[in-house]
Amino acid sequence: MRSFSTSARKLLQYLGYPFADLPGPWKTATETYLHNGAAKKVGVIKSVEILHRNDGSSPVHKSHYNPNDPEEVISVRIEDENGNKRTHHIYSDGTGTGFVGDKRE
């Protein structure tokens, strides 16, 4: 397991929907997940693309991983230092999942 180092944070690129435009708690939730859950799952993070509809509306939506989940999420495509990309769902409490059936952390 590799940690989310200070140098990695400086190199992290946000793509897609502007990070600064995320509503209320979603900025903190995204940072929390990237530093904790995502770092444990993928190691060093190179970039984060905040996925959204083409109309530029809020990226907050219901999970497609688990349609029975009543909570809202944002979807982000995380690229690790080796160029591997995977979509993650981030919850408003700063936890998240990296695939269907993944442990929320």
Side-chain angles (χ1 to χ4, degrees), residues 70-81:
E71 291 190 57
E72 293 186 316
V73 297
I74 61 170
S75 296
V76 297
R77 185 171 298 120
I78 296 176
E79 181 180 9
D80 69 18
E81 66 182 337

Side-chain angles (χ1 to χ4, degrees), residues 31-88:
E31 289 181 327
T32 299
Y33 179 67
L34 294 175
H35 290 80
N36 297 309
K40 286 167 62 175
K41 295 173 192 291
V42 304
V44 176
I45 298 171
K46 181 178 174 183
S47 68
V48 176
E49 179 182 3
I50 301 171
L51 304 176
H52 61 95
R53 294 173 193 87
N54 289 335
D55 64 5
S57 60
S58 172
V60 179
H61 64 281
K62 297 289 183 185
S63 173
H64 295 112
Y65 287 172
N66 182 359
N68 296 323
D69 188 346
E71 291 190 57
E72 293 186 316
V73 297
I74 61 170
S75 296
V76 297
R77 185 171 298 120
I78 296 176
E79 181 180 9
D80 69 18
E81 66 182 337
N82 297 317
N84 300 313
K85 295 179 182 180
R86 175 171 283 190
T87 300
H88 293 244

